[in-house]
């Protein structure tokens, strides 16, 4: 019994067995894990959904007023599950295989491990029986062991310590909080699972320790917080001593000089001596003597005391300096900074206090000891430089405002990650609740990218101008990520290699969507059934816009157009030649001579500069009989300058095609009835696909706040083409004619495809995908996401269909000049569809998310302005009880006399609002009782 948090902006939800396996099998999450393991980019890991095994949460209200099971320590309900987190393991599978084996679905200790263990066999077996789940973490360098708590051991931290001892491993103390998250893994990373995981609950454990965790105390109750920690070897090149987030060192405490795991003798700090420069009081400071040489340098473990740092952060001791007498090699020894007197009185006198610890030892990528950083610059340095440029660290009276301003700016380099901000920012003396409130407010601000002030800070630390600075996992980083996935899929879909030839990986998404639209246009004789109104046969419709700066490489679209549209070019040439011959003939005929009849031809490709009359005429002419039924073929428009297209179509209704663009996506019916002889008078369905390339400015002219409500935005697939960032394109030495020829051959195949596509499995998967995203939108209370989601499934399937058909071409058969037949889609096909659907949805949010939010905000404002006030008669009628007398009418309608009340009742009876129910005698007078009929009074 445990829960899930998909991201920091959503409340937690319970996890059952079905949802758990859906999470670990999710293709996008698995790709992120693979990407994280290859690149070490921790932002990929932070995008993963997270499981909370150790606690469920009571319903609370978020800062924005939304109710839900938010992940708050104060709302903790312990489950009785404990998570042992083991980090920095080069081969985690080898580690666990050396301790136990699987036998009849249970963990059984290996004899050789038991033989070297100082615990009795029964104790070891009892501990293994508690384990319900073991899996490799997303880094590939750690393990998570989820087990049932032992009430006798103590609380969560106590259980972690005891289980770590029994297994002979070192526990990560950062997992002691009940609300600690564990990022999901891949199904193949699960080494052991017991189905009891999904139902287990220990109410006695919860009853005993809930209050402790709700009060913010996560410390063990039966162990020292550092008793179980081993001393870690510190790399020689890093002389800063990474310490626990503790501050006070008892005078009597000394280091353990026992050998480490490698058999090396650790350095021991000798007794402190007086030395060094006196302090302000004239007192000489106590100074640690030089450390003896050796591979490992450390100070005695720091005892807990002083202010607590940020949750999950690591405080780092100041670096050692060279000083003291030289050793035999003539090299000066590393010397610890002077210790000063301070803190509580100990048994042997005052306690020596280390110099203030600095934040900077926090881990960056999982498995790394590097400080948390942005592009290699530690956040501690960024914050320090920020305060320097802002006139110094804020003092009391200005802390709240300046911390808020810092948080708003840091969001741009923290992916708006509240947890990361809480970790890297200093509290400056504020209590935790007040500080969290500041971060919450900052994270609700509309993201605006990196500010000028922060950019100056980063450039000063980088010692050079930063050519490109953007938020982690920005749209440009997503393009690289999607490009990697497309490259992986090209092994199954070879045509993707030829479509993306000569491009960088971050340009692959644009190429795939352009190629997909051209190929689906060739498949104009194909249909499929969708989950919405499955009785209707759907067509493959698309409208693509590639958006990039001038000279950003949009010419690839022209290459694909010339190669993939070869079959339609050849067919159109016949029609174009016939029309041109007719027009030449018309020029030679005199006024009184018989005019030739205009030929009825098929021309499917039209430039942007085409009149609507000509366009519609050719569209209704483009009809073929397929399997005994007439089918209207798709028209196609391709233009490399969206701005030029918009200028041309401003000429008026004779050329403006907005209404056709809107109706093309669902092949809606349209018609025209003009009086001129050149325009047909006919109803028709709109079958038109189009591709435009253009700049962001041109897209803003096409879709903006004033016309967003038309619905065009959700019908468009807008894919960004990234900036080149001063990089030269690859120098092409040889021309790959074979690639171009293959594209032409594939195009010829799809141009001869007909019939209903057997993609029902894909449609079912898309229904589930849409339902999951709609649930996310509901949790986020985002009507904007709901709007942008509704057509995503159509886009994902339409653009994927040509590639899926080509992959299964061997399953088709020839019927005359066309190919048709059923084929079986599989997991790989769904992977492609899901990728393109995700890309489409992400790009929709990138380009139109803010407009969608504004649309609903403005709509609600306008609705409130137009809200009609209830009239007094309606309000008075609503106040009447279900059964009433004339006395009630006088009171509710504020009438002065009973006569007026009878008049009002009479009007209500005639309007059917009330009927007489009964009568009674009061003071010798008969009075009536009336009853409402349920009819609503119209105000």
């Amino acid at each position: 019994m445990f829960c899930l948090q998909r991201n920091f902006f959503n409340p937690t939800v319970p996890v059952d067995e079905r949802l758990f396996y859906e999470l670990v099998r999710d293709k996008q999450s698995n790709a992120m894990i693979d990407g994280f393991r290859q690149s070490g980019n921790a932002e990929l890991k932070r995008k993963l959904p997270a499981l909370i095994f150790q606690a469920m949460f009571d319903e609370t209200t978020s800062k924005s007023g939304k109710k839900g099971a938010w992940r708050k320590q104060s709302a903790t309900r312990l489950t009785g599950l404990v998570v042992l987190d083991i980090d920095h393991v080069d081969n985690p599978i080898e580690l666990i295989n050396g301790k136990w084996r699987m036998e009849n679905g249970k963990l059984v200790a290996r004899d050789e491990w038991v033989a070297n263990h100082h615990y009795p066999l029964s104790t070891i077996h009892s501990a293994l029986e508690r384990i319900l789940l073991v899996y490799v973490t997303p880094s590939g360098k750690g393990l998570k062991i989820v087990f049932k708590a032992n009430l006798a051991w103590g609380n969560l931290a106590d259980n972690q310590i005891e289980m770590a001892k029994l297994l002979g491993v070192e526990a990560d103390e950062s997992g002691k909080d009940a609300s600690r998250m564990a990022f999901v893994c891949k199904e193949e990373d699960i080494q052991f699972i017991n189905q009891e995981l999904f139902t287990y609950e220990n109410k006695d454990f919860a009853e005993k320790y809930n209050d402790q965790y709700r009060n913010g105390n996560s410390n063990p109750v039966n162990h020292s917080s550092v008793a179980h920690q081993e001393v870690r070897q510190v790399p020689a090149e890093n002389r800063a001593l990474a310490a626990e987030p503790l501050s006070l060192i008892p005078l009597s405490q000394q280091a353990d000089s026992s050998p480490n795991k490698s058999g090396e003798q650790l350095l021991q700090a000798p007794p402190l001596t007086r030395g060094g420069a006196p302090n302000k009081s004239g007192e000489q400071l106590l100074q640690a003597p030089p450390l003896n040489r050796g591979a490992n340098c450390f100070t005695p473990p720091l005892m807990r005391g002083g202010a607590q740092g940020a949750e999950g952060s690591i405080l780092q001791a100041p670096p050692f300096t060279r000083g003291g007498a030289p050793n035999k090699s003539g090299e000066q020894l590393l010397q610890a900074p002077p210790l000063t007197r301070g803190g509580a009185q100990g048994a042997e006198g005052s306690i020596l206090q280390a110099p203030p610890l600095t934040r900077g030892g926090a881990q960056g990528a999982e498995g790394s000891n590097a400080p948390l950083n942005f592009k290699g610059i530690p956040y501690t340095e960024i914050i320090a430089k920020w305060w320097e440029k802002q006139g110094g660290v804020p003092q009391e009276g200005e802390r709240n405002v300046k911390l808020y301003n810092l948080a708003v700016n840091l969001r741009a380099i923290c992916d708006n990650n509240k947890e990361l901000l809480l970790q890297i920012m200093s509290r400056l003396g504020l209590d935790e609740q007040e500080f969290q409130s500041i971060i919450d407010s900052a994270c609700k601000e509309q993201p605006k990218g990196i500010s000028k002030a922060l950019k100056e800070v980063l450039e000063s630390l980088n010692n050079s101008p930063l050519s490109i600075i953007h938020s982690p996992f920005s749209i440009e980083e997503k393009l690289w990520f999607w490009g990697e996935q497309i490259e992986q899929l090209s092994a199954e879909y070879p045509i993707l290699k030829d479509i993306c030839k000569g491009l960088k990986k971050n340009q692959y998404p644009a190429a795939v969507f352009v190629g997909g639209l051209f190929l689906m246009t060739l498949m104009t004789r194909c249909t499929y059934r969708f989950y919405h109104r499955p009785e209707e046969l759907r067509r493959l419709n698309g409208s693509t816009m590639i958006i990039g700066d001038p000279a950003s490489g949009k010419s690839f679209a022209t290459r694909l157009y010339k190669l993939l549209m070869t079959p339609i070019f050849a067919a159109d040439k016949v029609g174009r030649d016939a029309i041109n011959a007719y027009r030449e003939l018309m020029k030679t005929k005199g006024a009184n001579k018989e005019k030739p009849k205009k030929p009825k031809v098929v021309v499917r490709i039209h430039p942007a500069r085409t009149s609507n009359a000509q366009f519609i005429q050719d569209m209704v002419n483009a009809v073929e009989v397929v399997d005994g039924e007439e089918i209207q073929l798709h028209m196609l428009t391709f233009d490399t300058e969206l701005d030029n297209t918009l200028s041309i179509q401003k000429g008026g209704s004779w050329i403006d095609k907005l209404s056709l663009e809107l109706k093309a996506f669902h092949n809606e019916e349209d018609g025209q009835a003009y009086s001129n002889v050149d325009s047909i008078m006919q109803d028709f369905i709109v079958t038109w696909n189009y591709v435009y390339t253009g700049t962001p400015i041109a897209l803003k002219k096409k879709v903006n706040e004033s016309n967003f409500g038309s619905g065009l935005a959700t019908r468009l697939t807008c894919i960004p083409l990234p900036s080149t960032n001063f990089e030269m394109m690859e120098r092409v030495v040889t021309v790959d004619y074979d690639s171009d020829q293959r594209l032409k051959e594939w195009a010829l195949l799809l141009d001869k495809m007909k019939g209903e596509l057997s993609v029902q499995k894909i449609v079912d998967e898309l229904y589930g995908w849409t339902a999951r995203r709609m649930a996310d939108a509901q949790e986020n209370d985002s009507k904007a996401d709901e709007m942008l989601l509704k057509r995503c499934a159509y886009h994902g399937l339409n653009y994927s269909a040509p590639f899926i058909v080509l992959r299964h071409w061997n399953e088709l058969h020839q019927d005359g000049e066309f190919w048709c037949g059923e084929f079986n889609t599989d997991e790989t096909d769904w992977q492609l569809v899901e990728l393109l659907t995700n890309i489409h949805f992400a790009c929709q949010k990138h380009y139109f998310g803010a407009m969608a939010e504004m649309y609903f905000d403005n709509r609600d404002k306008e609705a409130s302005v137009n809200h009609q006030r209830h009239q007094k008669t309606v309000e008075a009628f609503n106040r009447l009880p279900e059964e009433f007398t004339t006395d009630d009418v006088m009171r509710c309608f504020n009438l002065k006399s009973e006569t007026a009340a009878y008049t009002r009742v009479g009007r209500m009876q005639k309007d059917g609002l009330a009927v007489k129910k009964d009568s009674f005698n009061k003071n010798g007078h008969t009075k009536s009782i009336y009853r409402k009929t349920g009819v609503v009074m119209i105000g």
Side-chain angles (χ1 to χ4, degrees):
M1 185 175 181
F2 53 98
C3 60
L4 158 75
Q5 188 174 33
R6 292 191 180 274
N7 56 53
F8 294 121
F9 309 107
N10 286 335
T12 62
V13 293
V15 175
D16 57 15
E17 186 173 356
R18 180 199 59 78
L19 178 56
F20 177 79
Y21 281 104
E22 181 180 301
L23 291 168
V24 299
R25 291 168 181 167
D26 182 74
K27 292 290 187 279
Q28 187 173 10
S29 295
N30 287 351
M32 286 183 182
I33 292 171
D34 291 336
F36 173 44
R37 290 177 180 176
Q38 292 170 9
S39 66
N41 181 2
E43 293 305 324
L44 291 173
K45 181 186 70 170
R46 294 191 188 103
K47 294 290 182 180
L48 294 170
L51 300 169
I52 302 97
F53 291 102
Q54 299 180 146
M56 303 286 282
F57 301 92
D58 292 335
E59 184 180 88
T60 54
T61 303
S62 68
K63 296 288 184 181
S64 61
K66 182 179 177 182
K67 290 186 176 181
W70 295 99
R71 189 172 64 90
K72 297 180 180 180
Q73 186 91 338
S74 59
T76 294
R77 282 188 289 112
L78 297 175
T79 62
L81 294 174
V82 186
V83 179
L84 177 61
D85 195 1
I86 307 170
D87 285 336
H88 315 296
V89 183
D90 289 334
N91 195 330
I93 296 178
E94 183 179 309
L95 172 69
I96 59 177
N97 285 345
K99 299 180 184 298
W100 60 64
R101 67 182 188 277
M102 286 282 295
E103 192 173 291
N104 297 324
K106 295 183 179 181
L107 298 179
V108 179
R110 293 189 180 276
D111 294 339
E112 54 271 26
W113 179 49
V114 174
N116 295 322
H117 213 299
H118 57 278
Y119 283 95
L121 180 60
S122 59
T123 303
I124 297 172
H125 281 167
S126 176
L128 294 182
E129 288 175 355
R130 292 185 172 276
I131 296 176
L132 299 179
L133 175 66
V134 181
Y135 67 88
V136 178
T137 60
S139 70
K141 300 290 185 182
L143 283 170
K144 288 277 195 300
I145 299 177
V146 182
F147 62 96
K148 296 184 287 187
N150 186 341
L151 194 58
W153 285 350
N155 65 6
L156 293 175
D158 292 312
N159 271 266
Q160 291 164 352
I161 293 170
E162 288 298 329
M163 183 61 80
K165 287 179 181 178
L166 280 162
L167 298 181
V169 296
E170 180 182 345
D172 184 350
E173 191 177 341
S174 63
K176 66 185 180 181
D177 292 327
S179 57
R180 179 74 171 183
M181 299 189 305
F183 292 110
V184 297
C185 65
K186 300 195 292 184
E187 184 176 18
E188 63 196 59
D189 289 331
I190 298 175
Q191 304 302 309
F192 172 77
I193 188 167
N194 185 324
Q195 300 307 308
E196 190 181 358
L197 173 74
F198 303 108
T199 57
Y200 178 77
E201 184 180 13
N202 189 332
K203 293 183 179 179
D204 292 338
F205 185 81
E207 184 178 351
K208 184 170 183 178
Y209 292 112
N210 270 348
D211 289 343
Q212 176 189 342
Y213 287 91
R214 287 176 180 242
N215 292 329
N217 183 5
S218 302
N219 294 327
V221 294
N222 295 329
H223 298 78
S224 165
S225 61
V226 295
H228 66 293
Q229 297 286 359
E230 296 180 18
V231 178
R232 294 184 182 179
Q233 181 173 336
V234 179
E237 64 270 17
N238 181 10
R239 297 297 183 178
L241 297 183
E244 289 288 320
L246 317 171
S247 61
L248 303 180
I249 307 176
L251 181 63
S252 60
Q253 184 170 348
Q254 296 187 10
D256 180 12
S257 60
S258 58
N260 63 10
K261 294 179 180 179
S262 306
E264 296 175 301
Q265 194 76 12
L266 302 178
L267 291 177
Q268 185 175 4
L272 300 176
T273 57
R274 294 198 178 274
N279 61 13
K280 293 181 180 179
S281 304
E283 181 185 14
Q284 275 194 315
L285 303 178
L286 293 177
Q287 191 171 19
L291 299 179
N292 299 321
R293 289 189 61 80
N296 297 294
C297 301
F298 72 101
T299 55
L302 301 176
M303 298 298 292
R304 192 167 298 281
Q308 183 72 21
E311 184 178 347
S313 66
I314 297 174
L315 296 177
Q316 191 172 23
F320 277 38
T321 56
R322 296 200 176 273
N327 61 9
K328 293 180 181 179
S329 305
E331 181 184 20
Q332 279 194 312
L333 303 179
L334 293 178
Q335 192 170 19
L339 302 179
T340 57
R341 292 196 179 277
Q345 192 76 12
E348 301 183 26
S350 64
I351 294 175
L352 296 178
Q353 188 169 358
L357 300 180
T358 57
R359 201 170 297 285
Q363 292 185 348
E366 187 174 339
S368 164
N369 285 325
L372 287 168
N373 65 83
F374 172 72
K375 293 188 178 296
I377 308 173
Y379 284 114
T380 49
E381 294 183 20
I382 295 171
I383 293 172
K385 180 61 71 173
W386 172 272
W387 291 136
E388 179 184 321
K389 288 184 174 289
Q390 297 294 317
V393 177
Q395 303 301 311
E396 189 171 358
E398 60 180 1
R399 293 174 300 183
N400 292 54
V401 173
K402 290 197 172 184
L403 279 172
Y404 173 82
N405 188 34
L406 172 62
V408 168
N409 281 270
L410 285 178
R411 292 177 312 149
I413 58 174
C414 295
D415 200 22
N416 206 42
N417 187 329
K418 173 187 169 184
E419 300 294 325
L420 182 57
L421 289 171
L422 289 170
Q423 188 171 346
I424 64 177
M425 288 180 60
S426 171
R427 274 65 176 158
L428 299 182
L430 298 179
D431 62 59
E432 194 66 21
Q433 185 175 357
E434 186 176 9
F435 183 76
Q436 287 201 20
S437 177
I438 292 173
I439 302 301
D440 284 340
S441 299
C443 288
K444 290 174 186 174
E445 287 289 323
Q446 182 71 18
K448 299 178 181 177
I450 292 181
S451 66
K452 182 179 179 182
L454 183 56
K455 185 175 181 180
E456 290 176 357
V457 168
L458 295 171
E459 288 179 345
S460 66
L461 292 170
N462 202 45
N463 297 322
S464 64
L466 299 177
S467 59
I468 175 170
I469 303 177
H470 46 74
S471 299
F473 224 68
S474 64
I475 192 66
E476 293 210 355
E477 287 176 307
K478 289 176 183 176
L479 289 171
W480 283 109
F481 176 63
W482 295 328
E484 291 281 354
Q485 292 180 284
I486 291 170
E487 184 179 52
Q488 293 171 14
L489 286 169
S490 64
E492 294 288 340
Y493 304 92
I495 189 175
L496 294 177
K497 296 179 182 178
D498 294 322
I499 283 178
C500 300
K501 186 190 76 170
L503 301 177
K504 297 176 182 176
K505 288 181 185 177
N506 60 344
Q507 297 171 317
Y508 286 4
V512 170
F513 276 91
V514 170
L517 186 133
F518 290 146
L519 293 172
M520 78 169 76
T521 304
L522 294 171
M523 295 174 61
T524 185
R525 302 167 186 87
C526 296
T527 59
Y528 68 92
R529 298 185 187 275
F530 199 63
Y531 58 74
H532 176 55
R533 292 204 298 267
E535 68 277 6
E536 296 182 12
L537 287 173
R538 307 282 178 169
R539 305 285 295 278
L540 296 174
N541 305 312
S543 42
T544 303
M545 292 190 179
I546 303 303
I547 307 301
D549 295 327
S552 58
K554 296 187 285 290
S555 61
F556 76 87
T558 303
R559 168 185 174 258
L560 295 176
Y561 172 65
K562 290 179 177 179
L563 294 172
L564 296 177
M565 292 294 97
T566 301
I568 301 183
F569 292 152
D572 279 3
K573 187 176 185 304
V574 177
R576 290 178 188 275
D577 289 347
I579 288 295
N580 288 331
Y582 162 75
R583 288 176 177 173
E584 286 295 326
L585 188 60
M586 287 290 291
K587 292 178 184 178
T588 62
K589 295 290 183 179
N592 298 323
K593 292 186 178 181
E594 184 181 352
K595 305 294 184 183
K597 185 177 181 180
K598 184 177 182 180
K600 185 175 182 180
V601 299
V602 174
V603 178
R604 295 170 57 194
I605 295 179
H606 288 75
R609 189 181 285 106
T610 301
S611 71
N612 287 345
Q614 183 65 54
F615 186 84
I616 293 169
Q617 177 69 69
D618 288 339
M619 185 159 54
V620 298
N621 286 346
V623 174
E624 278 188 11
V625 177
V626 179
D627 292 337
E629 293 186 10
E630 285 191 348
I631 187 167
Q632 191 173 295
L633 307 182
H634 276 86
M635 313 299 283
L636 176 72
T637 298
F638 170 68
D639 198 302
T640 57
E641 296 297 338
L642 176 60
D643 210 0
N644 173 61
T645 302
L646 297 175
S647 299
I648 291 170
Q649 294 183 0
K650 284 181 180 177
S653 60
W654 68 275
I655 195 170
D656 182 76
K657 293 183 174 57
L658 178 59
S659 64
L660 295 175
E661 289 172 343
L662 290 170
K663 295 187 175 184
F665 189 77
H666 291 299
N667 304 130
E668 296 173 68
E669 190 172 295
D670 202 346
Q672 68 175 13
Y674 293 141
S675 60
N676 64 75
V677 295
D678 293 324
S679 297
I680 62 167
M681 184 173 180
Q682 182 177 338
D683 293 333
F684 55 88
I685 62 168
V686 182
T687 50
W688 178 33
N689 292 343
Y690 51 90
V691 177
Y692 299 129
T693 65
T695 63
I697 295 174
L699 178 62
K700 187 72 172 178
K701 294 178 183 177
K702 184 72 175 175
V703 182
N704 49 56
E705 291 82 357
S706 63
N707 64 15
F708 183 79
S710 69
L712 179 61
T714 58
R715 290 167 164 86
L716 297 176
T717 297
C718 298
I719 307 297
L721 201 62
S723 56
T724 56
N725 298 322
F726 311 104
E727 296 179 8
M728 291 289 291
M729 66 178 67
E730 291 185 11
R731 178 74 168 86
V732 178
V733 180
T734 59
V735 179
D736 186 1
Y737 293 107
D738 291 340
S739 174
D740 293 354
Q741 185 59 34
R742 284 193 298 269
L743 286 177
K744 290 180 180 179
E745 291 172 358
W746 276 317
L748 289 170
L749 289 177
L750 292 178
D751 190 49
K752 295 300 180 182
M753 181 74 188
K754 71 169 185 177
E756 184 177 339
L757 302 177
S758 48
V759 290
Q760 196 53 50
K761 290 181 181 177
I762 298 296
V763 172
D764 292 340
E765 291 282 7
L766 282 169
Y767 182 85
W769 181 93
T770 306
R772 294 191 296 273
R773 300 293 79 77
M774 200 63 74
D776 292 340
Q778 183 180 20
E779 289 175 9
N780 294 327
D781 194 21
S782 174
K783 290 188 176 296
D785 282 359
E786 180 189 14
M787 172 191 280
L788 298 177
L789 263 173
K790 287 183 176 178
R791 291 190 173 101
C792 283
Y794 289 107
H795 291 274
L797 179 52
N798 291 351
Y799 285 94
S800 305
F803 304 111
I804 294 173
V805 168
L806 287 174
R807 180 169 178 257
H808 295 277
W809 193 263
N810 291 335
E811 300 175 42
L812 305 179
H813 64 271
Q814 195 164 7
D815 181 14
E817 65 173 316
F818 293 106
W819 290 78
C820 57
E822 293 187 0
F823 52 88
N824 294 312
T825 58
D826 56 22
E827 190 66 27
T828 301
D829 297 320
W830 166 239
Q831 190 175 350
L832 174 67
V833 176
E834 185 180 33
L835 172 61
L836 298 193
T837 309
N838 285 333
I839 293 174
H840 172 80
F841 183 45
C843 293
Q844 283 273 296
K845 295 178 73 172
H846 173 67
Y847 284 117
F848 307 126
M851 280 190 227
E853 296 285 359
M854 189 180 300
Y855 168 80
F856 284 105
D857 289 345
N858 292 340
R859 187 201 66 175
D860 293 341
K861 289 177 183 176
E862 291 170 4
S864 64
V865 170
N866 295 330
H867 182 69
Q868 183 180 4
R869 293 182 60 186
H870 283 164
Q871 297 179 3
K872 291 182 179 180
T873 53
V874 176
E875 293 173 351
F877 178 77
N878 291 337
R879 286 196 296 267
L880 280 175
E882 287 301 311
E883 294 184 359
F884 58 90
T885 65
T886 51
D887 294 336
D888 296 317
V889 174
M890 291 174 65
R891 174 175 52 81
C892 293
F893 283 85
N894 196 26
L895 302 177
K896 302 297 183 182
S897 67
E898 193 169 14
T899 301
Y902 277 115
T903 302
R904 169 61 65 181
V905 171
R907 286 160 55 185
M908 285 191 286
Q909 287 178 307
K910 289 180 181 179
D911 289 333
L913 297 173
V915 294
K916 184 176 178 180
K917 180 187 177 184
D918 203 353
S919 60
F920 65 97
N921 188 284
K922 181 179 180 182
N923 300 326
H925 297 281
T926 301
K927 297 184 71 69
S928 298
I929 299 175
Y930 304 92
R931 176 177 57 83
K932 287 183 177 181
T933 61
V935 176
V936 178
M937 176 177 278
I938 300 174

